[in-house]
Amino acid sequence: MDSYDAPQSTPRQSASSRPENCFIGATPLQKRLESVRKQTPFVPTPPRRKIPQCSQLQEDVDPQKVAFLLHKQWTLYSLTPLYKFSYTHLKEYSRLLSAFIVAEKQKGLAVEVGEDFNIKVIFSTLLGMKGTQKDSEAFLVQILSKSQLPSENREGKVLWTGWFCCIFGDSLLETVSEDFTCLPLFLANGAESNTAIIGTWFEKTFDCNFSPLAINAFNLSWMAAMWTACKMDRYMAATEFLWSVPCSPQSLDISYAIHPEDAKALWDSVHKTPGEVTQEEVDLFMDCLYSHFHRHFKIHLSATRLVRVSTSVASAHTDGRIKILCHKYLIGVLAYLTELAIFQIE
Amino acid sequence: MLPQKRVKNSQAQNNTSQGSNSRQTKLSAWREKQDQSDSKSISKHGQKSPVEDYEHADDQAEDTLQIAVGYFEKGPIKTSQNKGKTLEKHLKTVEDVAWKNGLAPEEIDILLNVALSGKFGNAINTRLLKCMIPATLILEDSVVKAVSWLCVGKCSGSIKVLFYRWLVAMFDFIDHKEQINLLYGFFFASLQDDALCPYVCHFLYLLTKKENVKPFRVRKLLDLQAKMGMQPHLQALLSLYKFFVPALISVSLPVRKKIYFKNSENLWKMALIAVRQRNQGPSPEPLKLMLGPANVRSLKRKCSSHSLIPVLNSNSYTEQCGKKEISLSDCLSNTGSFPLEQLQSFPQLLQNIHRLEVPSQMGSVLNNSLLLHYINCVRDESILLRLYYWLSQTLQEECVWSKVNNYDRGKEFANFLDTIIRAESFLQEGFYSCEAFLYKSIPLWDGFSCRSQFLQLVSWIPFSSFSEVKPLLLDHLAQLFFTSTIYFKCSVLHSLKELLQNWLLWLSMDIHKPMMNSPLETTLGGSMNSLSKLIDYVGWLSTIAMRLEGNSIFLLHFILDFYEKVCDIYINYDLPLVVLFPPGVFYPALLSLDTTVLNQLCYIMHRYRKNLSAAKKNELQQKAKPQFSFSSKTYEEFNHYLIAMVGCLWTSKPFEKGICIDPQILEKAGVAEYKSSLNLVHHPSLLSYAVSFLLQESPEEGTLNVSSIRGKKWNWYLDYLFSEGLQGLQLFIRSNIHRSSIPLIREHIPQQY
């Protein structure tokens, strides 16, 4: 198989010399495999993370588009790298995708690509929505309904929106070749049936795979801590936690709301390393909340399941739904979600 | 050869007038027949066989057929008085021959012309068309000529329908299709005829090539669809068009739609089977036909299947995108890529491997062994990465035990895993996605769902450092191992045996070629270290399992199976490694009540000995560069076991060397006379053999004294044991003990190193 012509008598020597040059010849797949083995499966998170900061690149993003992304409930998916995706073909993609959607909706009927339908698909890039320059450009897909009446607004109503992004996705980028575009985080808003159709099109066209991204309680507490740590000029909402107690006939939900400034004060009291959040701090922060609750209600919250966290920065549900509220920390929130998505892909 | 002869005959008919010609052709045919039977009679020494008689009758039928064909070609004779009768007679002849043996290409050529030219009435034409059954194949030219008649307007609608049905049915038997394909536009135009439309659709479905798909045709089809509604035949053609040029058209088919066309072949069902059988005969020409487009249809039908694994599709979309930019050179060089859907056989794969279109969704290769071959040798990283990502995420998402609400899909997931395992064993190589999946999901695994699949996946973990695999997988597996039933333990040991075997194969292949594509930067020493750690680990598991299961013989069989692999590593895989079993395995096996266990132990010891001697020999030869010398500890260990074994079984001096038991303890236990109680005669697993042996020797003796087996009898007894199928024991004794022909020597000393 190898054209490489090494003397047959010395394979053992060549084997022993391999460690030095293994990085030169390492292909993306090999790097990937090494990273797979090195991962400890149950602790996806490094013991410390940076507190979200306002990103420089984010300044370039069209404020109108950012506003469009905020205050909306997004369902999260992880997405494997897109094969042979090209930013120069976005127009073409919208043509094909709209024909695909129409064909799917009226199963059995063939439709001509490029025909005038009553829906419109728009692909557009979200310039600047990235953590580093190396991150792939984020892009947005919108489905609009075209109104039949010419008198009404020609643009029509937005039926479905989805966007693809990658914020600080270096670990994934390192392991793929240039045929791939890494946008591991996909966020969708709109009917699930539409998400399914559009997902299918992407999967067929770019040989990728969507998978719902759930957020477990462990990661939710990290979010709670990191978002509480964010400096805010003005708090818009209370810091709220929702725990679920599995009991019959109906599960019991415990909601726990704190004034955001109290939460911040609590955080400041447990926080030591400036600019960073550590695992101990997260545990301590949550333990304080638990013990406070226990003092008043004699309920051990640690024995229940954390299902939702909402702060002034963002709110997240364990089912994999997120709503981002604060413009300033958009990138920071997305960076953590990207990390979770990459962990799920690998 | 035969068809050529017929050509001559029909030409002769053409040249001469009807009346006298019949006799002439008969005569010439007779002459040729004569030649044939002459040659035959030589070969058969003049004996007249019944076969020849039969052939003779056949021949006569052929002659009348020639006349009949001639008759039809000439056209109806208006003056003839008994016109109806003659016609009927000839038609009958043609039908008989056609249904029995099929018609030669030339005969079809003539008769097809007749049927479509409208010389005879509609009823006759119908009957003629129906019996256009080829003996082997149909000339393309005949079809083209026939099609030209369709334009003249001489045949009725029903004949046209029948003709298209015939074309569809006989499509595979037409020798070439290039000329016919040139008439694509004509066929396409016929779609407008409502009655013809379904049949023409079917025919076009068979005929269409990528270059036939044009925007204007797509538009026309969509118009037709708008006019006639959702017709299955139109859908079929549209989806084929989409398949070739996805950028032009979008179509999605209702799930579970499988049949697009009414079966046009019904009329000729039996005949088609007969023709295919004829064609599969030894003649080379029809064989080529069978490899042709005959099988294409079934693949295309897969469009609507529903499964986790994506359906195989060519990567036509990205193709399209690229085409816009660099189409000219492509067109000029004419190096079209080879569509996957046409890939049917291994030779095809070899011929087109350089220009094969890869599937649009890489996951689809799992179901296709040819493509598995392909990805096995392809060097394109992106192909492997695409498969890796798809498989990783699908496994994770579908995994039944990691999500509470997934359990009802257990069967589907098990099937999916089965497919993966089939692919892995086909490739003799594990997928890295599966490895990652195992690591991620084993902490959540209950040890029950998809057990057999899970454990099979374990055995396909690609070779890697044991110290990495252990905490990720084996430690979790051990927890389940210790707390589960004996059957689970046996399955785990079995899959670890398979894992060892796969690693051994991988390493033995890898060592003999440059380490270019080894995924891990391991030295040979590192690899051997990993292997020996794995074996030690299984030894540890086995020792504890033996204790937990009360030295179960059933379990011991699985453990010894593992060591049967282990003991032969040096010789079978050419790897410098010999690892012995732990005492916790050896002694229970030696003292087992089961003969097969003892026999297997003997066999394993015999193989250990062979491997160690081979290693020793090599070491002595290559004194200059001793790469891997076994520590003397291995030899010591082996000798220790060997002495214990020989002491028990042969010299009746157990527990002196090897394992030592204080005689006082034995005395206390009431076994004062223990020395010979573990030898070949008294060993609990062999005692029944000794008794049978004595009964066989002297059946009349009232009391049996097994201790009487000594001296000469001892040797006979050994032969008896060997004849009872204890081959392991035989090999062990042959290689370890010098049996001298002189009886009474029981103090043989085992060879030591």
Side-chain angles (χ1 to χ4, degrees):
Chain A
M1 207 161 101
D2 280 313
S3 54
Y4 176 69
D5 204 11
Q8 204 60 34
S9 57
T10 56
R12 288 171 190 192
Q13 277 156 2
S14 78
S16 60
S17 69
R18 221 184 112 66
E20 287 122 34
N21 51 29
C22 80
F23 271 101
I24 301 162
T27 59
L29 189 62
Q30 285 178 12
K31 282 191 227 156
R32 155 98 306 119
L33 302 175
E34 278 155 30
S35 80
V36 166
R37 289 223 176 90
K38 287 202 180 93
Q39 241 164 45
T40 23
F42 244 19
V43 193
T45 49
R48 54 183 67 236
R49 287 199 180 80
K50 276 194 184 133
I51 294 175
Q53 299 292 325
C54 194
S55 150
Q56 202 54 46
L57 286 161
Q58 197 188 322
E59 303 294 315
D60 308 337
V61 189
D62 180 2
Q64 227 181 337
K65 276 189 177 158
V66 172
F68 180 78
L69 303 177
L70 297 176
H71 298 284
K72 267 204 183 70
Q73 178 105 289
W74 299 104
T75 309
L76 302 173
Y77 294 86
S78 64
L79 176 66
T80 61
L82 302 165
Y83 180 66
K84 295 250 159 109
F85 175 84
S86 157
Y87 287 95
T88 54
H89 288 109
L90 293 184
K91 272 237 171 68
E92 173 97 2
Y93 296 154
S94 28
R95 218 160 55 82
L96 290 169
L97 180 55
S98 58
F100 183 79
I101 294 168
V102 172
E104 279 295 317
K105 294 240 159 135
Q106 37 189 342
K107 262 205 185 296
L109 260 133
V111 294
E112 190 181 355
V113 172
E115 208 178 287
D116 205 25
F117 307 119
N118 53 1
I119 61 149
K120 193 178 176 192
V121 175
I122 304 172
F123 277 65
S124 58
T125 50
L126 294 166
L127 286 173
M129 186 74 86
K130 43 164 78 172
T132 65
Q133 286 299 348
K134 270 201 267 171
D135 284 334
S136 313
E137 209 70 61
F139 70 92
L140 182 79
V141 179
Q142 278 176 295
I143 302 176
L144 308 172
S145 72
K146 272 195 227 155
S147 56
Q148 309 300 73
L149 302 164
S151 57
E152 277 177 52
N153 184 8
R154 192 64 191 134
E155 270 300 284
K157 181 167 122 225
V158 177
L159 294 177
W160 183 92
T161 314
W163 49 299
F164 302 73
C165 72
C166 176
I167 313 289
F168 296 109
D170 316 7
S171 66
L172 185 62
L173 281 169
E174 274 169 18
T175 56
V176 297
S177 54
E178 62 231 29
D179 283 337
F180 294 92
T181 307
C182 292
L183 292 162
L185 184 63
F186 171 68
L187 306 96
N189 173 279
E192 214 164 297
S193 58
N194 280 332
T195 311
I197 293 174
I198 290 148
T200 310
W201 184 80
F202 272 92
E203 286 181 356
K204 282 189 172 168
T205 315
F206 305 110
D207 201 3
C208 55
N209 188 284
F210 289 83
S211 178
L213 180 64
I215 309 169
N216 61 26
F218 178 82
N219 291 322
L220 279 177
S221 14
W222 262 93
M223 288 176 177
M226 285 197 297
W227 296 343
T228 306
C230 292
K231 280 201 188 71
M232 297 290 285
D233 306 328
R234 188 171 60 88
Y235 289 104
M236 285 178 290
T239 302
E240 194 186 341
F241 298 84
L242 191 72
W243 277 276
S244 166
V245 185
C247 61
S248 65
Q250 274 178 324
S251 67
L252 180 68
D253 286 343
I254 301 170
S255 164
Y256 184 171
I258 318 163
H259 193 280
E261 277 164 20
D262 295 343
K264 182 77 165 69
L266 174 62
W267 171 255
D268 287 339
S269 72
V270 300
H271 180 55
K272 285 182 197 80
T273 29
E276 273 185 344
V277 181
T278 65
Q279 183 68 58
E280 295 84 57
E281 287 170 2
V282 174
D283 294 342
L284 198 55
F285 178 68
M286 293 308 282
D287 284 345
C288 288
L289 291 173
Y290 292 154
S291 61
H292 178 73
F293 197 81
H294 183 252
R295 194 153 12 141
H296 289 283
F297 303 103
K298 301 281 173 277
I299 292 173
H300 288 288
L301 284 177
S302 53
T304 65
R305 197 162 68 99
L306 181 59
V307 293
R308 201 184 72 206
V309 169
S310 33
T311 69
S312 296
V313 172
S315 76
H317 192 281
T318 185
D319 294 348
R321 279 173 289 150
I322 194 144
K323 192 189 270 186
I324 303 169
L325 305 172
C326 175
H327 167 258
K328 197 169 147 195
Y329 296 112
L330 176 64
I331 291 288
V333 171
L334 291 173
Y336 187 54
L337 294 175
T338 305
E339 188 188 321
L340 296 183
I342 291 177
F343 175 71
Q344 177 154 307
I345 292 166
E346 281 175 343
Chain B
M1 281 294 113
L2 229 57
Q4 277 180 349
K5 184 177 77 191
R6 285 193 200 120
V7 178
K8 274 186 211 149
N9 286 352
S10 57
Q11 276 170 349
Q13 280 174 329
N14 293 347
N15 295 342
T16 49
S17 67
Q18 181 83 27
S20 58
N21 141 354
S22 64
R23 186 163 275 172
Q24 256 191 343
T25 40
K26 248 184 183 168
L27 209 78
S28 63
W30 180 80
R31 251 185 228 133
E32 283 174 36
K33 184 74 226 160
Q34 195 74 359
D35 290 348
Q36 275 191 347
S37 46
D38 274 356
S39 59
K40 227 169 254 168
S41 61
I42 292 164
S43 65
K44 291 193 177 170
H45 306 284
Q47 283 178 336
K48 196 157 182 161
S49 70
V51 182
E52 264 176 84
D53 273 347
Y54 174 75
E55 280 185 355
H56 227 80
D58 239 25
D59 239 45
Q60 269 174 353
E62 296 244 316
D63 292 338
T64 47
L65 177 66
Q66 299 304 334
I67 300 165
V69 171
Y71 170 81
F72 282 113
E73 196 185 11
K74 194 106 197 286
I77 306 153
K78 292 203 175 93
T79 51
S80 176
Q81 297 206 325
N82 44 5
K83 166 187 150 197
K85 240 185 183 172
T86 328
L87 178 66
E88 181 59 33
K89 189 189 89 190
H90 289 311
L91 197 52
K92 196 90 190 84
T93 310
V94 173
E95 280 175 340
D96 284 348
V97 175
W99 283 93
K100 200 170 148 212
N101 293 329
L103 300 173
E106 298 74 24
E107 287 154 5
I108 288 183
D109 188 67
I110 296 165
L111 292 174
L112 199 56
N113 245 319
V114 174
L116 292 167
S117 62
K119 278 185 200 165
F120 293 88
N122 227 355
I124 308 292
N125 292 339
T126 308
R127 278 177 69 181
L128 270 179
L129 256 181
K130 278 187 188 169
C131 66
M132 290 295 100
I133 299 156
T136 49
L137 46 83
I138 299 164
L139 300 174
E140 182 185 28
D141 209 34
S142 319
V143 178
V144 175
K145 268 193 262 173
V147 171
S148 68
W149 279 111
L150 295 182
C151 314
V152 185
K154 285 216 171 173
C155 43
S156 65
S158 64
I159 292 289
K160 280 186 190 168
V161 168
L162 189 63
F163 174 68
Y164 276 109
R165 288 178 69 181
W166 178 80
L167 265 183
V168 168
M170 303 299 168
F171 191 79
D172 293 342
F173 306 118
I174 302 170
D175 58 352
H176 299 283
K177 277 127 195 163
E178 288 80 11
Q179 296 287 329
I180 300 175
N181 195 273
L182 293 179
L183 298 173
Y184 195 91
F186 169 77
F187 295 120
F188 195 86
S190 310
L191 284 173
Q192 261 155 323
D193 186 329
D194 285 355
L196 282 183
C197 183
Y199 306 102
V200 177
C201 262
H202 195 169
F203 179 62
L204 288 175
Y205 187 81
L206 300 174
L207 190 67
T208 303
K209 289 187 200 165
K210 196 167 181 174
E211 53 268 25
N212 297 129
V213 182
K214 297 273 160 54
F216 70 88
R217 287 197 179 125
V218 171
R219 223 161 294 139
K220 183 74 213 168
L221 280 179
L222 289 167
D223 284 351
L224 274 175
Q225 183 190 249
K227 201 177 87 190
M228 314 210 296
M230 202 189 291
Q231 298 292 337
H233 48 269
L234 281 177
Q235 277 180 351
L237 194 55
L238 277 164
S239 55
L240 183 69
Y241 273 31
K242 183 211 159 127
F243 174 79
F244 282 126
V245 192
L248 273 182
I249 186 174
S250 211
V251 58
S252 65
L253 298 163
V255 189
R256 258 181 268 163
K257 183 107 209 165
K258 285 247 165 93
I259 299 157
Y260 299 130
F261 303 109
K262 284 177 217 136
N263 205 341
S264 297
E265 298 176 5
N266 275 348
L267 273 175
W268 293 280
K269 210 166 206 166
M270 291 315 290
L272 287 175
I273 295 169
V275 179
R276 285 205 182 104
Q277 271 170 356
R278 273 200 292 272
N279 284 354
Q280 266 162 359
S283 70
E285 179 72 24
L287 203 73
K288 192 184 85 202
L289 268 172
M290 287 316 287
L291 281 175
N295 306 326
V296 174
R297 259 169 286 167
S298 61
L299 249 172
K300 283 175 187 160
R301 222 179 281 149
K302 276 188 3 191
C303 280
S304 49
S305 78
H306 224 52
S307 145
L308 285 176
I309 300 168
V311 178
L312 197 66
N313 265 332
S314 293
N315 198 2
S316 12
Y317 176 69
T318 31
E319 200 87 322
Q320 287 300 312
C321 259
K323 265 220 176 104
K324 281 196 172 158
E325 290 147 22
I326 40 148
S327 60
L328 193 64
S329 63
D330 257 12
C331 292
L332 289 175
S333 58
N334 198 19
T335 52
S337 53
F338 188 79
L340 280 179
E341 292 69 21
Q342 285 178 24
L343 188 67
Q344 306 283 332
S345 67
F346 192 68
Q348 267 182 319
L349 175 71
L350 290 183
Q351 276 164 22
N352 300 297
I353 200 155
H354 56 289
R355 56 188 192 109
L356 201 65
E357 283 178 9
V358 288
S360 61
Q361 284 174 283
M362 208 44 81
S364 57
V365 301
L366 282 187
N367 274 331
N368 187 317
S369 56
L370 288 174
L371 286 177
L372 283 174
H373 277 305
Y374 178 69
I375 64 160
N376 197 25
C377 62
V378 78
R379 294 228 127 187
D380 185 356
E381 280 280 336
S382 62
I383 287 180
L384 302 175
L385 266 177
R386 283 159 70 188
L387 184 63
Y388 171 87
Y389 280 120
W390 173 79
L391 197 53
S392 297
Q393 187 134 311
T394 310
L395 278 169
Q396 199 176 339
E397 194 179 341
E398 297 299 322
C399 176
V400 284
W401 55 85
S402 66
K403 280 176 199 147
V404 185
N405 50 1
N406 256 2
Y407 268 91
D408 47 341
R409 295 218 304 250
K411 194 134 191 261
E412 198 187 352
F413 186 60
N415 288 340
F416 180 57
L417 291 181
D418 280 333
T419 310
I420 294 170
I421 292 160
R422 265 200 304 279
E424 287 188 325
S425 36
F426 179 82
L427 292 173
Q428 287 289 301
E429 197 176 346
F431 295 122
Y432 289 102
S433 325
C434 296
E435 188 190 354
F437 166 71
L438 288 176
Y439 297 161
K440 271 191 176 181
S441 70
I442 194 169
L444 303 169
W445 188 45
D446 55 4
F448 180 74
S449 42
C450 303
R451 174 193 291 176
S452 110
Q453 286 85 1
F454 190 95
L455 290 176
Q456 281 181 77
L457 283 181
V458 167
S459 66
W460 283 112
I461 290 180
F463 176 77
S464 55
S465 150
F466 179 78
S467 49
E468 279 172 21
V469 177
K470 184 176 171 286
L472 293 174
L473 183 87
L474 294 175
D475 287 347
H476 296 282
L477 198 59
Q479 286 177 4
L480 288 167
F481 180 84
F482 292 135
T483 51
S484 301
T485 61
I486 184 167
Y487 302 105
F488 184 83
K489 292 190 177 84
C490 294
S491 329
V492 169
L493 288 172
H494 180 75
S495 75
L496 289 174
K497 185 190 85 176
E498 304 276 303
L499 175 70
L500 176 71
Q501 176 174 308
N502 289 332
W503 282 15
L504 288 171
L505 279 172
W506 199 87
L507 282 172
S508 61
M509 298 299 290
D510 202 59
I511 272 177
H512 300 291
K513 64 182 184 209
M515 297 285 268
M516 273 301 282
N517 40 12
S518 121
L520 290 168
E521 70 290 359
T522 40
T523 60
L524 184 65
S527 312
M528 290 308 112
N529 191 24
S530 233
L531 276 182
S532 79
K533 273 190 186 157
L534 172 68
I535 297 167
D536 287 342
Y537 189 80
V538 176
W540 175 73
L541 280 182
S542 306
T543 306
I544 299 177
M546 283 301 283
R547 259 183 255 155
L548 286 173
E549 298 296 337
N551 294 336
S552 156
I553 286 165
F554 185 66
L555 181 68
L556 200 49
H557 276 297
F558 281 86
I559 295 172
L560 290 181
D561 273 349
F562 178 81
Y563 281 100
E564 217 175 292
K565 199 104 279 161
V566 172
C567 67
D568 253 342
I569 292 176
Y570 191 87
I571 290 180
N572 279 358
Y573 299 93
D574 202 8
L575 294 172
L577 186 72
V578 180
V579 183
L580 288 166
F581 30 41
V585 170
F586 173 76
Y587 287 105
L590 178 60
L591 306 177
S592 149
L593 298 176
D594 189 87
T595 326
T596 52
V597 166
L598 186 71
N599 185 51
Q600 205 176 357
L601 179 74
C602 288
Y603 175 76
I604 291 169
M605 285 299 282
H606 161 72
R607 293 307 303 173
Y608 266 131
R609 189 200 162 90
K610 286 263 175 217
N611 279 266
L612 283 168
S613 345
K616 190 114 196 163
K617 207 170 133 198
N618 260 352
E619 230 170 275
L620 291 173
Q621 277 174 355
Q622 304 185 337
K623 246 182 187 158
K625 45 169 194 175
Q627 283 161 327
F628 283 91
S629 57
F630 298 104
S631 73
S632 56
K633 226 184 109 200
T634 312
Y635 292 103
E636 271 167 34
E637 235 179 309
F638 174 76
N639 284 333
H640 179 92
Y641 285 148
L642 189 63
I643 292 165
M645 250 178 114
V646 174
C648 282
L649 297 175
W650 192 263
T651 58
S652 299
K653 284 178 183 167
F655 314 133
E656 284 180 3
K657 284 177 187 169
I659 196 166
C660 295
I661 298 175
D662 190 353
Q664 276 188 331
I665 296 173
L666 291 163
E667 230 166 274
K668 260 188 202 164
V671 276
E673 197 47 55
Y674 64 89
K675 290 215 168 191
S676 65
S677 60
L678 284 173
N679 68 17
L680 287 177
V681 176
H682 294 93
H683 192 284
S685 71
L686 293 172
L687 196 59
S688 59
Y689 283 88
V691 172
S692 322
F693 169 71
L694 286 177
L695 283 174
Q696 209 180 48
E697 285 287 291
S698 43
E700 66 281 352
E701 226 167 279
T703 52
L704 293 171
N705 182 12
V706 285
S707 304
S708 70
I709 304 178
R710 55 173 66 209
K712 211 177 206 168
K713 235 178 182 177
W714 176 271
N715 279 355
W716 293 343
Y717 173 60
L718 279 184
D719 291 336
Y720 171 74
L721 287 181
F722 302 158
S723 72
E724 287 294 300
L726 300 181
Q727 255 91 34
L729 184 70
Q730 187 173 15
L731 289 166
F732 174 78
I733 289 178
R734 284 225 180 116
S735 62
N736 289 300
I737 296 163
H738 289 302
R739 273 174 77 196
S740 94
S741 54
I742 310 155
L744 252 177
I745 297 175
R746 280 165 49 193
E747 323 264 315
H748 294 302
I749 297 152
Q751 279 185 311
Q752 289 188 22
Y753 297 101

